[in-house]
Every structure is written in structure tokens, then in C-alpha cells.
Amino acid sequence: MRFYEFEAKQALARRRVPLPKSELARTPEEAEAAAEQLGGPVVLKSQVLSGGRMKAGGVKFTDSPAEAKQAAAEILALEINNLKPAGVLVEERRTVEQEYFAAVTWDTRAKRPVIIFSDMGGIDIEEVAEQHPEHVARMHFSPSRPFPDFSAKLAVANVGITGGALNALSRMVAALAGAFIDHDLTLAEINPIGRLDDGSFVALDAHMDMEDEARGRHTALLDELGIDDPEARKARPPTQFELDAAANNDADPRGIAGNLVEFDGNIGLIIGAGGGSLTLFDAVRAAGGKPANYCEIGGNPSVGKAAGLTKLVLSQPGVDKVAVMMSIVSNTRVDIVARGVIKGCIEAGRDPAEAIAIFRIPGSWEEEGFVILDKYGVEYVDRSVSMHEAAARAVAKVAG
Amino acid sequence: MAMFIRVDIDDAVRQDGDLCKQLIEVCPVDIFTLDEGGRVSTVEDNVDECTLCDLCTDAAGDGVRVVKLYRE
């Protein structure tokens, strides 16, 4: 769940992270009043759950309240990546001498949170890491112990910062890490931190994402920030395809056949097994395939539920075939999924032997499943064929 | 229309009220129901959901047969 910048900054303010003075405005008149109140030049920033605000015209600099009113009217009317702004943040404009980057996120390979810090902020951190690796420091820490402030200090010191700047920046990074841990965030980022002409540091922009499943643990924070509809906090609104998949999943409590994300490829995926679905998605891409969707199937969905998902995926424009693949499963019956996907094909008016590029679900009741697949002429493989090999075969079939 | 499974029920079972109730109770995917005459019948939409658990055949013996159409 994403937070707007103004909300992320409120969360940081609770941790005494220094911030520029700002006010949220919902109308041009409120923006004008805010600029009047702040005095001097201001920056107005669209509060939208999307990146690329600057390029899209969602950030404007003004020198007077009248200009701020006009700029706010333009920003409030501007959709960025099809998202309407929740308001405009009117913020005092400060003279920045240097920009820094600080973030805490999960390193899924190390299976631990990692602090990422750079003295080259304000730009794409991946670009900095590639071109100036000596300017990026990474420091892992344990999520199960109290955060050691020393880790923050090491991260900052590792790019060569010393003295008072080291102390000030370390406090900000430690606060960011504290927010990350306490609020079950998947990303806490300040980019940029600005060093002002008086030598002080402020968080000029902030970005926070909370783990969706953890929202129930943080109702106090969400209430305090006035977030009444967490479901609306997606990076983009769900497509009709995704909504239909969610409805198919919700209509039957047995297992999962949903969590679908739409892409613009031509190979439909019916994939599952926890991380297996991510692996399989990557395997299709690695084989040169273009997935039409990501999804998750597992936990023994009913025949009807699997059929519904199959029909839906096959209904996508440009999708002629689906690949049905999982890792080795013990909590999902192969024969039930086989029945479901075959039924889905037939109800969609398709020949399962043609529409199913490959079926690779080894596990419980696979012998029974293979008999069903044989009956309908569907190509299947067992566990002796790797997920990557199965994905490559499916991609080759789709390519014709 | 069920594609994979067919459930055959003997008349003797259909007319046994207690057994009918037992079939409805044991089936985990609601394949059995009572018709207007109080006789047990199958819910067509649910037949393909059969998990092959054999609870119905345990209850009714030879009076109920679960046929795997894909093996015919």
C-alpha cells in the first residue's frame, strides 16, 4: 500500500526527521492561502501515487501566492499515469547545495532489510549504482532485533561523509529504518535529502510503501493519516481483467485462482505454488516469452474456479494459448486443476489440446491428472522437466 | 454439464430417506440434494467437483457409483 508524499512526510515528522514547512491544498484557493502563509517562493507538488511527477508537469515552482494559485489549478487538473491527484503539497522552497539518497527496503536475496545511501541524490539510484558505485553504500540489518543506529552511521560513513553531516544524516537514516520496521514497510525512501545553504538537512521528498497484509496491524497510523480506503492505494487502478479475476476468486472460498496482474503479452499464464509463480513468470520472460498476465493458483481451487480463471485468461485479446505450470505441489490436486483448465478451455469454445501450450503440475494425484490430460490430448510433463524447460517449450509453442 | 464425473444412484438408495440425508451430509462438494419428491439426486454443476473421496460409496455401498468419464 502506497502513501502519498504528504502522508509519508507526516510519518517521518513523528520521528523528528527535519522537513520543509508545507501544507496540503485541495483547491487552488487553499494553495494560494498556503503560499501566503509560508511566505516566499514555494514548490507545488502533485499528490499522486505515481512516479514521474516532474516530467509530467506535476511539480511547479512559484514566487507568489497568485502564481501558486494558478499552478495549483493546473496541477489539480492534471492526471499522471491515469491517476488524479489527491491534492497539491505546497512547500517552502529552500536553496539546496547538495542532494542525498536514503532508502530502506528488503533485499530478497539476503532475506534481510537493507539501507541504501548515496551522496548523489535526486536522480535514479539504479543509474548512480551503475555509473558511480563508489557513491552508493548498502548496509543490511536484522529485522528481528532493535535497529542499531550504528548501521545507519556506517551506511552514511561508507560514502565518505564525516563530522556533523555524518551525525545529522545518520539520524535521518536511523529514523527511516525505524519507520520501516515499526510500520511493516516494504520501502521507505527519502530522495532527495537536501543539504541547505545553512548546513542543515531536510527531507525534500519521501516515499513509503506498506506491506498490504500488515495493514491490520497499523490501523492507528492509518487512522491518524486519514487513510480510509487502503484498497485505493494501488500504483494504478485495477483493470477490468483484474477485477474479473478477483471476482472469480472471491466467488468460491476454495483455494486461490486469482491475484491476477495484467500485462500486454500474448501467452496466458495459469501459474502458482508460492514463489513458484514468480519463478515461472521469470522463466517465461527468460525464454523470450511475453506474458499476458501474472496470476496465482493454488491451495486446491475448485474445478469451477480454475475453469473460470482459464476462460478469463483465454478471453484476453491476442492470447491464443495458456501455460499451466506450478512447482511440485502437495496442497493442490493435479487432477482437479487439470479438470478445471480443460473445462475452461471447452467452455471458452477452445480445444484444450490447442489452447494449453503445456501443463506442468507435478504433485498430488498427478497420475489421475495425467490420465485426464491424455484423454484431451494436452501436452504435459512431470517433475523430471524443470520449470524453465517447461516455460521454454510453452514459449516456443506460442511462437509457432 | 459434467464432463469428468458421473454419479449413478440406484433407486433403492433414492427411496431410503435416511441414506439420502447421509449422502447429502457426507459429500464435501455438495453433489447430492433432495428433489421435490424427497428423493436424492445430483447437482449437475457440482458433479465435476467430485474429489473422489469415496464417502458416498462408503455410505451407500454399491447403491452409489462414481464413474470417471475420462477413463472410459
Side-chain angles (χ1 to χ4, degrees), chain B residues 32-70:
Chain B
F32 301 100
T33 188
L34 286 181
D35 63 20
E36 288 177 356
R39 292 153 54 97
V40 75
S41 62
T42 56
V43 179
E44 194 61 23
D45 284 350
N46 291 348
V47 173
D48 272 342
E49 303 288 352
C50 175
T51 61
L52 308 175
C53 65
D54 290 337
L55 290 172
C56 55
T57 53
D58 285 350
D62 294 340
V64 169
R65 289 169 300 283
V66 175
V67 181
K68 299 173 185 176
L69 299 173
Y70 51 86

Side-chain angles (χ1 to χ4, degrees), chain A residues 254 302-304 333 339 342-343 346 365 368 371-372 375-376, chain B residues 1 3-5 29 48-52 68-72:
Chain A
R254 290 171 285 185
S302 65
V303 172
R333 278 184 41 179
R339 284 188 221 168
I342 287 170
K343 194 166 196 166
I346 290 172
W365 290 68
E368 199 75 14
V371 172
I372 296 170
K375 170 89 175 179
Y376 287 89
Chain B
M1 185 70 185
M3 298 166 47
F4 304 100
I5 302 291
V29 291
D48 272 342
E49 303 288 352
C50 175
T51 61
L52 308 175
K68 299 173 185 176
L69 299 173
Y70 51 86
R71 285 190 180 271
E72 290 192 331

Side-chain angles (χ1 to χ4, degrees), chain A residues 104-156:
Chain A
V104 185
T105 188
W106 277 97
D107 180 339
T108 51
R109 290 192 177 182
K111 299 179 181 176
R112 287 192 295 168
V114 60
I115 296 168
I116 303 169
F117 185 85
S118 174
D119 58 352
M120 295 179 71
I123 54 176
D124 184 353
I125 191 62
E126 289 177 3
E127 192 180 314
V128 176
E130 198 170 294
Q131 295 176 6
H132 307 282
E134 71 280 10
H135 286 276
V136 179
R138 294 176 184 80
M139 189 63 55
H140 292 91
F141 62 92
S142 167
S144 53
R145 296 178 187 161
F147 177 75
D149 288 355
F150 184 66
S151 293
K153 205 160 199 171
L154 275 179
V156 177

Side-chain angles (χ1 to χ4, degrees), chain B residues 7-51:
Chain B
V7 178
D8 297 334
I9 310 170
D10 284 352
D11 277 347
V13 173
R14 291 182 194 276
Q15 290 164 10
D16 185 332
D18 288 342
L19 195 49
C20 292
K21 286 178 187 168
Q22 204 177 339
L23 286 172
I24 293 168
E25 188 180 322
V26 299
C27 181
V29 291
D30 299 331
I31 287 175
F32 301 100
T33 188
L34 286 181
D35 63 20
E36 288 177 356
R39 292 153 54 97
V40 75
S41 62
T42 56
V43 179
E44 194 61 23
D45 284 350
N46 291 348
V47 173
D48 272 342
E49 303 288 352
C50 175
T51 61

Side-chain angles (χ1 to χ4, degrees), chain A residues 380-396:
Chain A
Y380 63 89
V381 293
D382 62 15
R383 68 193 68 193
S384 66
V385 173
S386 73
M387 291 192 284
H388 278 79
E389 172 61 23
R393 287 194 201 179
V395 170

Side-chain angles (χ1 to χ4, degrees), chain A residues 52-115:
Chain A
R53 289 183 302 177
M54 181 71 90
K55 280 184 185 170
V59 178
K60 294 183 184 295
F61 300 90
T62 64
D63 292 320
S64 70
E67 284 179 24
K69 182 181 178 183
Q70 175 62 32
E74 291 168 13
I75 290 173
L76 289 167
L78 179 70
E79 284 191 13
I80 300 177
N81 292 327
N82 298 318
L83 293 172
K84 290 180 180 172
V88 58
L89 190 65
V90 185
E91 196 167 80
E92 64 174 340
R93 205 159 97 207
R94 306 292 299 268
T95 304
V96 176
E97 295 193 333
Q98 185 171 355
E99 294 183 332
Y100 303 82
F101 173 95
V104 185
T105 188
W106 277 97
D107 180 339
T108 51
R109 290 192 177 182
K111 299 179 181 176
R112 287 192 295 168
V114 60
I115 296 168

Side-chain angles (χ1 to χ4, degrees), chain A residues 63-372:
Chain A
D63 292 320
S64 70
E67 284 179 24
K69 182 181 178 183
Q70 175 62 32
E74 291 168 13
I75 290 173
L76 289 167
L78 179 70
E79 284 191 13
I80 300 177
N81 292 327
N82 298 318
L83 293 172
K84 290 180 180 172
V88 58
L89 190 65
V90 185
E91 196 167 80
E92 64 174 340
R93 205 159 97 207
R94 306 292 299 268
T95 304
V96 176
E97 295 193 333
Q98 185 171 355
E99 294 183 332
Y100 303 82
F101 173 95
V104 185
T105 188
W106 277 97
D107 180 339
T108 51
R109 290 192 177 182
K111 299 179 181 176
R112 287 192 295 168
V114 60
I115 296 168
I116 303 169
F117 185 85
S118 174
D119 58 352
M120 295 179 71
I123 54 176
D124 184 353
I125 191 62
E126 289 177 3
E127 192 180 314
V128 176
E130 198 170 294
Q131 295 176 6
H132 307 282
E134 71 280 10
H135 286 276
V136 179
R138 294 176 184 80
M139 189 63 55
H140 292 91
F141 62 92
S142 167
S144 53
R145 296 178 187 161
F147 177 75
D149 288 355
F150 184 66
S151 293
K153 205 160 199 171
L154 275 179
V156 177
N158 279 351
V159 295
I161 294 169
T162 59
L166 173 60
N167 288 332
L169 288 166
S170 299
R171 279 195 295 273
M172 294 176 80
V173 173
L176 198 61
F180 180 87
I181 294 297
D182 293 347
H183 300 320
D184 290 315
L185 302 181
T186 54
L187 174 66
E189 178 182 301
I190 305 174
N191 185 26
I193 296 171
R195 190 184 76 216
L196 306 181
D197 47 5
D198 62 2
S200 64
F201 295 86
V202 292
L204 295 171
D205 196 359
H207 181 177
M208 287 183 180
D209 283 359
M210 179 183 281
E211 170 60 51
D212 276 349
E213 303 299 332
R215 291 190 313 228
R217 284 158 45 97
H218 302 289
T219 50
L221 174 72
L222 299 181
D223 287 347
E224 192 176 317
L225 296 177
I227 299 172
D228 53 2
D229 183 11
E231 290 301 328
R233 298 307 183 86
K234 303 291 183 187
R236 60 168 171 76
T239 65
Q240 191 57 48
F241 183 40
E242 293 165 349
L243 291 171
D244 290 345
N248 178 67
N249 190 54
D250 293 346
D252 186 331
R254 290 171 285 185
I256 290 178
N259 200 10
L260 184 147
V261 181
E262 182 175 355
F263 293 94
D264 58 0
N266 61 353
I267 178 168
L269 299 182
I270 311 286
I271 51 177
S277 51
L278 296 171
T279 303
L280 286 159
F281 188 91
D282 287 348
V284 168
R285 300 251 304 154
K290 293 181 178 171
N293 65 281
Y294 169 85
C295 78
E296 289 171 0
I297 183 168
N300 241 1
S302 65
V303 172
K305 200 163 175 170
L309 180 64
T310 305
K311 273 195 292 186
L312 186 64
V313 172
L314 280 171
S315 74
Q316 279 298 90
V319 174
D320 188 46
K321 294 182 192 301
V322 294
V324 184
M325 303 183 290
M326 296 175 80
S327 182
I328 299 170
V329 290
S330 60
N331 69 341
T332 298
R333 278 184 41 179
V334 177
D335 61 326
I336 299 290
V337 178
R339 284 188 221 168
V341 294
I342 287 170
K343 194 166 196 166
C345 291
I346 290 172
E347 288 181 356
R350 302 291 311 281
D351 176 358
E354 290 295 321
I356 299 174
I358 201 158
F359 185 104
R360 185 213 182 269
I361 305 184
S364 305
W365 290 68
E366 64 180 19
E367 294 86 358
E368 199 75 14
F370 295 162
V371 172
I372 296 170

Side-chain angles (χ1 to χ4, degrees), chain A residues 12-27:
Chain A
L12 289 175
R14 291 153 47 115
R15 294 174 182 271
R16 299 183 181 178
V17 171
L19 299 157
K21 291 177 188 165
S22 64
E23 284 187 34
L24 180 70
R26 309 272 187 190
T27 65

